[in-house]
Each structure stands twice: as structure tokens, then as C-alpha cells.
Amino acid sequence: MIARASTLFLPTLRDAPADAEAVSHKLLVRGGFIRQVSAGVWTFLPLGWRVHRKVEQIIREEMDAIGAQEMLMPVLTPIELWEATGRAGIPELFRLEDRNGRRFILPMTHEETVTFHAREIQSYKQLPQLWYHFSVKDRDEQRPSGGLIRVREFIMKDAYSFDRDEAGVRRSFEANREAYRKIFTRCGLETYDVQAESGMMGGKLSEDFLAPSGSGQNTLVTCENGDYAADLDVADAVPREPRLTEPLDAPEEIETPGVTTIDALAAFLDIDPAATSKAMPVVRESDGALVLALIRGDDRLSEPKLYDALGGASRPATDEEIVAAFGASGGSLGPVRFEGEVIADETLREGQFVAGANRNGWHLRGVQAGRDFEPRWVHIREPREGDRCPKCGGALAFRTAIEVGHIFNFGPFYSGPLGATFLDEDGQEKPLLGGSYGIGPGRVLAATIEQSHDERGIIWPRSIAPYDVHVVALPGVDEQAAAAAEALSAAGADVLLDDREQRAGEKFADADLIGCPIRVTVGKKTLDDGAVDVRDRATGEERRVPIAELGGIV
């Protein structure tokens, strides 16, 4: 097919929006692919929608190849379904009422709805099932940013599997993982499938597909030797060895007036910050219990790991709660003689550390786990630069990344409260075991641009480019330009013919900005030799090709 630029809605811009920081945000707006309606809400203009649909089609083909069945579930969802699973209180949900006062939500995902339909599965003979759809999702994102990276409304492909046992769950998980690998490869996107958290949606098996990028909300942790990769939220890492002080037979109090931070404590005692412990009192939301979380003094607490360690959400303890539980204020807290639950990071298992004495202006030297307090051992530190690989000891690299896909199993999390059961071969009624598999096509667009661009604009891989070939017609060669476009179209290429009355420099700049894989320039020289200049957008290589032979370049 041939699209003429003179009739397209193609509002390219010379300058990027003032608030744009991500490269993909700048280039998608400048190239006329998307436009913002409000914060986190975007319209895909014709050029952007063509790319989106190509991504969708690749996803559709690979999902169909593993036996998935496409359907469409509604956006408007009765809140009762989410109340049944305990998720109706999620703050990111949009809520609304109809004229009769009936309450609805605009879901960010469709586990409840798909499980509602799965209640029609009656027998093990109907399993496994794998359903998917492309649907609008809404999320009351507090700080939308990055163009298509962090939005409030988006289209997502989400698939859901239902199985009878754990073996079936694993097979469905592996089939979708392989399909995702093929999808991202076909989209020309470098991704890593890494261990991840399931978050509010539950589940055991959980993997993210992260695309390294210049912008994004995730951090990809990889080993220099290629044997380890993980999302920062769940990554394990080996920190440097601390320089510990001489061991003591029992904790020893030391006065530390005005010292309330780890850096101040280390400087005051002239010790390694890693030889201290940092006390983080939190209140578990499920039962209101105050729990003391301990990490090494030079570390940061990982909120996702803390969530897993506590089995749910928590909040920082208030000043009043801290004084009531410890008899001291923040900055002088520690595990010794604390009567509540203590969870400690594994880095504190060996050796003695300096900890708060639970007495304002005092600390304890020589505090040793197992002797002076009994913690529950967990992994709650956040890996950081300088850590080593837990598998081979190699150096770890930390890269910003975009999450373009997430797959996880949720077991009976939804089927239990929603009554989705089946009759198994042994005659017993059992809950369906579910899995969820999501891809955001909009994020695929953004991640692809983050990975593939130069100072002039986007460099699309052909599989998802808006057009295969961009024909630039210079003045006086309209007939020859049309012939070149026809020859390319006849060979199966989608062609954008720039027949606008614009200067040559503007047309070339737009061609580079839009980023189609091949640019064909038809100029005055074509009148003499019947040939055109063919330029590869990615490499910049040019060659002269007769119009009659253009079919061979596609």
C-alpha cells in the first residue's frame, strides 16, 4: 500500500515538549506518533497507531501459536468482583457509580473478570484453558511520566491460564515465557526475563521482561559473566565484607550524645558504617503489630522484599508508637531487649555490630544475633553498586529498564473467593489454578525507541515500523516518485510517499525523525538515469538503484 504524506495527519515538530525527559517521549511527540490529552493520557495518532497495531499483531500470532484463544472483556467492571477478592481498596483503582448508584471500577487488570467467566469450566476434561484479550486499562497513577512509560490509561494484552494442578501451571507458564521471548525478538527488542515480584496480584512463579533503556521505572541487575539477571526488587547480591570491631563478651553501652544517623555514628566511633545495624520500626497492616526490621548500616531497605517478609503491606511506625515500644526515639533504636518481632537481613547473621541501646543518646557495641537477640532471618536489603554476583562472585551492573511484560501464576487466589471450581478425575471439587501474562504494546514502542535511535530520530526495526519504505520526492519528479512507490508497493512493501510541497531539508529531517527502515530519494538525477538513492536508516549506507529494480530491496 501507498500512503501520501500530503493527505496524512502527520504533525511533526521541530522541538520536544518542555517537560519531556525520556528520549522515547521526545521522539514520539516530535514524530507525530502520539499526543497528550491530559497527564498520563495519550492519543495514538495515525502513525503511532500503525506501530501499535503491528506490535499487537506479532503478539497475537505468537499467542495463537501456543493455543491461546482471543476474547474481549469489558472495561466497566462491577466492584463486587474486586470486593470478593479483597482488592477493591487498591488506591490506584478508578471508581464510579451509575445513575442508580451501582458501583463500578475501571480495572488495571482482569483477573477477577476472567475468573468470573472461568466458573463455567466444570470438568478437568476442559483443562487447560488459555484466554487473552487486548483491552483498555486504567490506573490512577500518582505521578505519570515518561510519555508512554508511566501512564494512567493504556492498552494491554493480558492472557490468563487455568489448570488443574501445579504441573499444568508450570507448563502454561513455560509456554507463555517462550512466546514472550519470541514476541520481543520479533519486535527487535533486547529483553531479559528475570525473577520478579507478583505484587498485589499474588502468585509464586513470577518473571518480568525488562528492556534496558535510558529511561524507565525498573532497575535491571546483571552479572558481568552473564549467569545472573534479576529485577532490583527481588535481586540477591553479595555486599563487601564489613570491617568489624574487636568482639566483646557482652554488649557494652556507649554514650553517643546527639548522634541519630548511621554516618554520624560511624564518624563518632571511627568505625565502618557496615559495622553498624540500622533499625527500621514498621507496623504490619494485617494485624497492627510493630515489627523491627534490621539491615546493615550502609544498606537501604528494599520495600518489595519487606512486603514479602511481612506477608503484606506495612507502614513506618509513628514517633508515638516508637517511644511506646522502645522507650526511646528514632536514632537510638536496636533489637536488644525489644519484646516484639525482629526480622534481620542475612548480612547481620555473622559478627558483632553497633546498635541502638533503646535509650536516647546511647548505643551498644558488640551486639550479636543469636546471643543478644533472636531474629527471623530474611533478605530485605537492596542491592547496590559494588555488590557481587550471588552465583559466581562477578561484578554486578545496574541498568535502568522498562518492564514490557510480566508473567506469574496466582494459583487459587481468585478462584477461591469467586467460586471457580472444577470436578477433578478423582471426583473431588477443586479450585482452578490460574496464571496471568501481560504485555504493554505502548511500552514496547517506548522501549524500542529507547534502544534504537540517534541524534536525528527513531530507527525502527522493520517488523514494527510504521512503513517499510519512506519515499522522498524532490521537486519536479512527481511521476518518477510515484513510479518508485508503485514498484515498492508491488513488491509487498508499505510505502510512505512524501509528496508534500516542502523543502528537501525538511523532508529529509522528517524521514530521519520518523525512522522508517529504508529511505528512497527521487531527485533531478533520476530524470537522467532512472535510478534513485536508497539509504539504510540504521547504518546510513547509500546506494544507487534503478526504479525497475526497487522490488529487490524489500
Side-chain angles (χ1 to χ4, degrees):
M1 58 84 67
I2 301 172
R4 290 181 174 269
S6 59
T7 61
L8 290 182
F9 181 48
L10 191 60
T12 58
L13 301 174
R14 177 173 298 178
D15 298 316
D19 64 339
E21 296 181 358
V23 169
S24 56
H25 183 180
K26 295 175 182 178
L27 294 180
L28 282 168
V29 172
R30 286 189 57 218
F33 291 85
I34 60 174
R35 284 294 184 270
Q36 183 169 289
V37 179
S38 67
V41 180
W42 293 86
T43 291
F44 282 88
L45 301 184
L47 211 61
W49 190 238
R50 284 185 64 85
V51 181
H52 197 286
R53 288 174 59 200
K54 287 193 173 185
V55 174
E56 285 183 19
Q57 187 57 28
I58 290 173
I59 296 171
R60 183 173 283 113
E61 290 171 3
E62 295 300 336
M63 293 305 297
D64 290 349
I66 62 172
Q69 305 164 71
E70 186 171 4
M71 58 195 296
L72 180 62
M73 291 175 277
V75 177
L76 194 63
T77 304
I79 198 170
E80 290 85 358
L81 292 178
W82 284 63
E83 288 176 334
T85 61
R87 297 209 300 164
I90 293 172
E92 289 80 12
L93 281 178
F94 281 102
R95 300 166 180 82
L96 66 157
E97 291 186 2
D98 67 11
R99 67 184 67 189
N100 298 314
R102 188 178 180 191
R103 296 177 301 150
F104 293 86
I105 61 159
L106 304 179
M108 62 188 78
T109 184
H110 273 72
E111 280 83 2
E112 280 82 358
T113 304
V114 78
T115 305
F116 169 84
H117 292 301
R119 294 190 296 191
E120 295 194 55
I121 296 173
Q122 298 178 342
S123 168
Y124 73 94
K125 294 180 180 179
Q126 297 170 272
L127 298 173
Q129 290 287 331
L130 179 58
W131 308 333
Y132 77 100
H133 73 159
F134 290 91
S135 178
V136 171
K137 313 288 182 180
D138 289 278
R139 177 185 175 94
D140 192 4
E141 182 65 57
Q142 188 173 9
R143 290 180 293 274
S145 61
L148 299 182
I149 296 175
R150 195 180 184 102
V151 295
R152 306 186 85 191
E153 182 171 285
F154 53 98
I155 293 174
M156 186 167 75
K157 186 287 301 178
D158 41 335
Y160 303 96
S161 62
F162 291 100
D163 287 278
R164 61 183 291 197
D165 53 27
E166 291 297 332
V169 167
R170 171 63 74 173
R171 284 192 294 270
S172 294
F173 186 87
E174 294 296 338
N176 279 274
R177 176 163 57 186
E178 289 304 313
Y180 274 36
R181 288 173 175 172
K182 292 177 181 178
I183 288 166
F184 296 126
T185 297
R186 288 182 61 184
C187 289
L189 195 59
E190 177 195 2
T191 61
Y192 292 79
D193 44 304
V194 301
Q195 181 185 357
E197 59 160 349
S198 298
M200 68 183 72
M201 291 169 280
K204 298 175 183 176
L205 295 172
S206 181
E207 292 190 2
D208 275 340
F209 286 79
L210 299 183
S213 63
S215 301
Q217 303 299 321
N218 293 70
T219 299
L220 172 65
V221 183
T222 56
C223 176
E224 63 179 344
N225 298 321
D227 59 354
Y228 183 75
D231 190 304
L232 180 66
D233 288 345
V234 297
D236 288 329
V238 180
R240 67 173 177 84
E241 288 291 330
R243 298 185 300 276
L244 299 177
T245 56
E246 289 295 320
L248 302 175
D249 293 334
E252 177 184 283
E253 280 194 338
I254 181 169
E255 188 172 8
T256 52
V259 174
T260 58
T261 68
I262 293 297
D263 288 341
L265 179 64
F268 184 81
L269 299 178
D270 192 24
I271 61 173
D272 183 359
T276 69
S277 65
K278 186 186 297 182
M280 315 282 285
V282 298
V283 176
R284 186 164 46 210
E285 289 190 359
S286 61
D287 59 6
L290 191 148
V291 179
L292 180 61
L294 287 179
I295 57 175
R296 215 168 74 173
D298 61 333
D299 280 332
R300 291 170 58 93
L301 179 69
S302 167
E303 295 291 343
K305 290 179 181 178
L306 179 65
Y307 182 98
D308 290 341
L310 296 179
S314 64
R315 62 168 175 80
T318 64
D319 292 341
E320 292 77 11
E321 289 169 330
I322 290 171
V323 171
F326 295 91
S329 302
S332 299
L333 307 181
V336 179
R337 293 185 296 275
F338 171 62
E339 296 180 356
E341 181 183 0
V342 178
I343 59 173
D345 188 78
E346 287 284 349
T347 52
L348 297 172
R349 185 184 285 270
E350 302 294 335
Q352 295 183 356
F353 297 81
V354 176
N358 295 329
R359 179 182 172 197
N360 287 341
W362 291 81
H363 282 78
L364 294 174
R365 292 182 183 268
V367 175
Q368 182 175 318
R371 185 192 69 183
D372 305 315
F373 68 100
E374 290 291 345
R376 176 163 62 91
W377 295 107
V378 291
H379 291 279
I380 53 174
R381 73 179 291 268
E382 182 177 278
R384 59 198 180 100
E385 294 287 347
D387 287 355
R388 311 298 292 185
C389 175
K391 289 190 174 181
C392 70
L396 292 177
F398 295 76
R399 289 189 283 173
T400 300
I402 297 173
E403 178 192 322
V404 290
H406 184 197
I407 61 177
F408 65 97
N409 82 298
F410 50 78
F413 186 91
Y414 302 94
S415 56
L418 291 172
T421 62
F422 70 100
L423 197 64
D424 207 354
E425 192 173 12
D426 59 7
Q428 299 293 313
E429 188 176 49
K430 299 178 181 178
L432 291 165
L433 302 180
S436 180
Y437 318 91
I439 290 180
R443 282 194 176 181
V444 171
L445 267 69
T448 300
I449 294 170
E450 293 287 335
Q451 291 184 359
S452 186
H453 67 274
D454 59 19
E455 68 280 1
R456 296 186 300 276
I458 303 167
I459 304 174
W460 291 111
R462 178 167 179 176
S463 60
I464 62 172
Y467 297 94
D468 301 317
V469 185
H470 193 148
V471 176
V472 175
L474 301 184
V477 291
D478 293 347
E479 182 179 337
Q480 289 75 13
E486 290 289 350
L488 291 162
S489 179
D494 287 340
V495 181
L496 172 60
L497 173 57
D498 192 345
D499 58 344
R500 299 173 299 171
E501 293 184 3
Q502 301 282 357
R503 292 179 299 174
E506 293 176 352
K507 290 188 175 185
F508 290 143
D510 277 353
D512 284 338
L513 176 61
I514 292 169
C516 296
I518 299 173
R519 186 183 79 196
V520 170
T521 303
V522 185
K524 290 291 181 64
K525 192 176 178 181
T526 305
L527 298 174
D528 299 326
D529 61 6
V532 295
D533 291 318
V534 176
R535 184 175 185 272
D536 185 286
R537 177 66 182 89
T539 66
E541 295 179 357
E542 291 194 16
R543 64 189 189 276
R544 194 80 178 158
V545 178
I547 292 177
E549 299 176 12
L550 277 177
I553 73 170
V554 296

